[in-house]
Amino acid sequence: MAPYESDHATGAGPDEDPRTGRRKAARYVVPVAVVGVAAATIGLVPALAASGDPDLPKITAQQLVEKIAKSDVQRMSGTVKISTDLGLPDLGSLQEGMGSGHEDSSADPRTKLTELASGTHTLRVAADGPEKQKVSLLERDAEYSLIHNDKDVWGYDSASNEVFHTTAQHTGEKREHRPSATPDDFAEEALKSVDSTTSVTVDGTARIAGRDAYQLVIKPKQSGSTVRDVTIGVDARTGLPLKFTLTPKSGGAPVLDAGFTKVSFAAPPASTFDFRPPRGAKVTEEKPGKDEHSPGFGGQFAPGGLSGADTIGEGWTTIAKFDTGAKGDKTSQQGGAMGGFLGSLGDQVSGDFGKGTVFSTRLVNALITDDGKVYAGAVTKSALVKAADADK
Amino acid sequence: MSRAETTCPPAARPLWTFGLLRSELVTTLRRWRTLVLLAVLAAVPVLIGIAVRVETGGGGDPDRGGGGPAFIAQVTNNGLFLVFTALAATLPFFLPMAVGVIAGDAVAGEAGAGTLRYLLVAPAGRTRLLLTKYATVLAFCLLATLVVTVSALAVGALLFPLGEVTTISGTRIGFGDGLLRALLIALAVAASLTGVAALGLFVSTLTHSGIAAMATTVGLLITVQILDQIPQLHAIQPYLFSHYWLSFADLLRDPVLWDDLRRNLVLQGVYAAVFGTAAWARFTAKDITA
């Protein structure tokens, strides 16, 4: 770009010759080229970054499962991206409307847990031994942190500047008070369900968060399950599950996809776990023992999570049965307007058991019969009806 | 800027460019319009500070409804957070609007006033004149951001206590470290505005009316902001210049999350390159009749 080049253009009068016009138009090639280069970079960089699957020594599924079980990562920090797509309508605003009435602190872990049930979230996790753990839910210009340091468990919601505090009773017990939302928590739940109804295979290798990993695939053998498979990416060196993907039979996006995008096995700085409530923050104290077990997010997805109710069947097609005791011949009569609203969300079905309504998500289906019984499980609609018929 | 001005560049040609830049800066900053814009920007933190102070003056619990700009819940306990609140409040609209006004006026205003041809008489060449204009707009981006930052810091120090800062990750950092982060955030915000500045400059080369250029730039800004809010358009949103603006909040995490900050800088760079070269293509090939 010579500084004076443009002066020619100034001289060109209204009757400029076509060559100058072409030269003027040629200048616009520059911005167009910049756009082209930018677009090409956006397109090419991910393609170049995926440099193929790493070569790792062969391993059997049995060995890999043992490797996960033996994995004892004490110090680590990383970023986890978690996407959930249950196929539910976005109930965020509804929850907010209902939640505003009660007195719960917004820093209470149980309040925050429900947020993870839909959409995509980024978490940061850090751990330094069994006494120091931290999980942070990154929000737009805010963050929710749950910090376990020795005897104290702190929840800090930076958006509202509220603090939740409780003391851990049995220190030393791993992940006692934090919501389980990392790939290894899900993997633990999924591996609990490995029995005769499941096939476990190793399906090649992958690079996850910059580390070499084996892919463990868990598939239900039973036909009635809504789960197609569960894929767990296991770090080849440490045996720590780095990625967890649950794909439904109906296809499409995974119901649950949680994976590390960054991971480091160095000890995080001690200041990470050193929390003191900031000046002026509202602190909600909770007496220990009220909530012995933190709610397990992962548990809801695995068959084992359906404990506490009567169960029908085994393995992946376990169906939980509750009896609400409400005897009405129609759903709409039980709950008035609310019942009618719920009825409109589900499908009416009938069988030997009578009549009922099936509520479907991409993973879990539930059948509510008109005589007040509830059958729910990660099974197809027909399997639910069959179970209800058999139960009659 | 001021420190560089006092040192004399060795070669003659840079000196020339520098004289041009200085005269551009002085002309821009002496305009009433510029001063009013800066005054409005300086008033925003004052308003927020007084509002928060009055709201919580009774010593009672501030309303924790969760509304309002980011970080507002922390302002009462640490005046430094007023800087972050003020930047979060001005970045979506006030700051880019001010930049749009200055950038839109840069070339079109001269053309409208009939002074552009006199500028071109000087042996600086159009490319260099355009670069000077862009540098002036960038200087205004930085100045406007610093005006908000300094005003917010002053108001925050006057009305609220200062001290150790709790990051949004719950860890504590010293006040000096907090000030450093505030400065970094101001720089990140100023850098966020470079895309709008280039866009405004390009629009400015298209017309002879300063008002038309300003209105178009501000109109584009509002349109892009609205598009960024529509969930159905999530596929194109990462390419909108305003998409990563609020990523400056990631500087308040501990450790800092650089991903979106980096994406923001790259995006602003691409916008600056595309619209900067487009402005160059247009301006160097344009017939100057006024």
Side-chain angles (χ1 to χ4, degrees), chain B residues 173-224:
Chain B
I173 54 175
F175 183 68
D177 205 359
L179 267 183
L180 189 73
R181 296 221 184 184
L183 183 70
L184 271 177
I185 283 175
L187 290 178
V189 169
S192 300
L193 297 170
T194 53
V196 183
L199 180 67
L201 196 67
F202 171 61
V203 172
S204 186
T205 59
L206 295 178
T207 168
H208 287 275
S209 155
I211 297 291
M214 291 179 208
T216 311
T217 311
V218 175
L220 278 172
L221 170 74
I222 296 170
T223 314
V224 165

Side-chain angles (χ1 to χ4, degrees), chain B residues 1-281:
Chain B
M1 277 297 139
S2 61
R3 212 173 91 207
E5 267 169 34
T6 51
T7 54
C8 239
R13 258 167 53 161
L15 184 70
W16 224 115
T17 313
F18 208 77
L20 195 62
L21 178 62
R22 194 170 61 178
S23 86
E24 273 299 318
L25 274 175
V26 170
T27 325
T28 308
L29 291 182
R30 273 204 189 137
R31 281 201 189 109
W32 275 108
R33 190 189 311 152
T34 315
L35 295 176
V36 169
L37 281 174
L38 290 178
V40 169
L41 286 173
V44 173
V46 180
L47 275 177
I48 299 176
I50 292 176
V52 173
R53 179 79 186 172
V54 167
E55 188 95 334
T56 58
D61 221 21
D63 177 31
R64 296 174 196 276
F71 314 119
I72 204 157
Q74 282 100 319
V75 170
T76 38
N77 314 305
N78 198 327
L80 193 60
F81 273 93
L82 189 61
V83 175
F84 314 137
T85 308
L87 286 173
T90 50
L91 183 57
F93 192 69
F94 285 104
L95 275 172
M97 187 194 68
V99 170
V101 166
I102 300 296
D105 194 47
V107 177
E110 302 264 13
T115 48
L116 189 56
R117 54 165 67 171
Y118 298 110
L119 267 179
L120 290 172
V121 167
R126 292 189 181 192
T127 305
R128 214 181 308 170
L129 178 64
L130 194 70
L131 280 176
T132 313
K133 289 279 185 194
Y134 189 50
T136 312
V137 180
L138 291 187
F140 179 78
C141 292
L142 188 64
L143 182 69
T145 315
L146 288 180
V147 162
V148 177
T149 310
V150 170
S151 162
L153 195 60
V155 175
L158 274 176
L159 297 181
F160 307 105
L162 294 175
E164 208 171 51
V165 180
T166 303
T167 62
I168 57 177
S169 303
T171 59
R172 280 166 290 127
I173 54 175
F175 183 68
D177 205 359
L179 267 183
L180 189 73
R181 296 221 184 184
L183 183 70
L184 271 177
I185 283 175
L187 290 178
V189 169
S192 300
L193 297 170
T194 53
V196 183
L199 180 67
L201 196 67
F202 171 61
V203 172
S204 186
T205 59
L206 295 178
T207 168
H208 287 275
S209 155
I211 297 291
M214 291 179 208
T216 311
T217 311
V218 175
L220 278 172
L221 170 74
I222 296 170
T223 314
V224 165
Q225 299 267 44
I226 292 172
L227 291 183
D228 204 19
Q229 299 299 321
I230 301 175
Q232 283 80 0
L233 296 176
H234 63 90
I236 61 156
Q237 280 169 356
Y239 308 105
L240 300 177
F241 59 79
S242 66
H243 188 68
Y244 294 111
W245 274 359
L246 286 178
S247 66
F248 76 82
D250 289 347
L251 282 166
L252 279 178
R253 302 190 198 280
D254 193 28
V256 175
L257 187 71
W258 293 102
D259 303 11
D260 280 358
L261 286 160
R262 211 178 299 131
R263 268 180 220 131
N264 184 32
L265 286 183
V266 169
L267 190 67
Q268 300 304 329
V270 169
Y271 267 90
V274 171
F275 287 103
T277 50
W280 167 79

Side-chain angles (χ1 to χ4, degrees), chain A residues 289-312:
Chain A
K290 184 177 154 192
D291 178 35
E292 294 254 327
H293 293 281
S294 84
F297 184 54
Q300 294 158 15
F301 288 94
L306 294 170
S307 56
D310 291 338
T311 54
I312 306 167

Side-chain angles (χ1 to χ4, degrees), chain A residues 52-322:
Chain A
D53 297 337
D55 278 330
L56 290 169
K58 284 260 180 291
I59 190 170
T60 65
Q62 183 62 34
Q63 284 169 319
L64 192 55
V65 171
E66 274 167 21
K67 200 178 173 76
I68 299 173
K70 267 193 291 180
S71 163
D72 186 25
V73 176
Q74 295 281 328
R75 283 174 205 86
M76 55 90 61
S77 59
T79 312
V80 176
K81 200 166 178 186
I82 171 165
S83 308
T84 13
D85 182 3
L86 285 168
L88 290 168
D90 186 9
L91 295 174
S93 52
L94 196 64
Q95 279 171 356
E96 252 167 52
M98 281 151 70
S100 59
H102 62 90
E103 289 295 297
D104 266 359
S105 159
S106 70
D108 191 318
R110 280 155 301 192
T111 321
K112 282 286 160 184
L113 192 69
T114 50
E115 281 181 21
L116 286 175
S118 69
T120 299
H121 300 272
T122 309
L123 299 171
R124 265 184 170 173
V125 292
D128 187 358
E131 304 293 319
K132 288 180 179 187
Q133 288 131 26
K134 178 172 177 176
V135 182
S136 307
L137 172 63
L138 306 193
E139 295 156 4
R140 198 187 165 111
D141 56 52
E143 197 166 319
Y144 173 74
S145 312
L146 197 60
I147 303 155
H148 171 210
N149 190 359
D150 229 355
K151 284 200 178 66
D152 293 312
V153 177
W154 297 98
Y156 177 58
D157 180 29
S158 88
S160 59
N161 204 24
E162 284 183 23
V163 175
F164 170 89
H165 179 236
T166 186
T167 43
Q169 273 196 321
H170 341 270
T171 49
E173 196 177 312
K174 204 190 161 198
R175 61 174 87 88
E176 184 200 355
H177 266 274
R178 69 178 174 85
S180 48
T182 53
D184 49 319
D185 297 323
F186 295 125
E188 194 177 298
E189 289 294 340
L191 289 173
K192 267 187 205 163
S193 65
V194 171
D195 53 25
S196 56
T197 64
T198 316
S199 88
V200 184
T201 48
V202 177
D203 182 28
T205 59
R207 266 190 94 73
I208 300 163
R211 297 185 65 90
D212 296 344
Y214 291 105
Q215 300 265 55
L216 185 71
V217 178
I218 301 175
K219 257 190 199 156
K221 283 182 187 160
Q222 294 149 304
S223 60
S225 173
T226 50
V227 178
R228 179 195 285 164
D229 59 36
V230 169
T231 310
I232 303 172
V234 185
D235 185 37
R237 186 104 51 85
T238 61
L240 181 77
L242 295 176
K243 195 168 165 63
F244 180 95
T245 313
L246 197 158
T247 321
K249 268 228 171 85
S250 53
V255 165
L256 174 68
D257 186 21
F260 279 98
T261 52
K262 248 179 236 154
V263 68
S264 150
F265 293 99
S271 65
T272 312
F273 310 101
D274 177 22
F275 181 79
R276 225 186 293 151
R279 200 169 27 188
K282 184 179 143 196
V283 182
T284 311
E285 286 283 346
E286 185 175 284
K287 289 204 174 66
K290 184 177 154 192
D291 178 35
E292 294 254 327
H293 293 281
S294 84
F297 184 54
Q300 294 158 15
F301 288 94
L306 294 170
S307 56
D310 291 338
T311 54
I312 306 167
E314 52 155 6
W316 294 84
T317 51
T318 307
I319 293 168
K321 181 192 155 197
F322 315 88

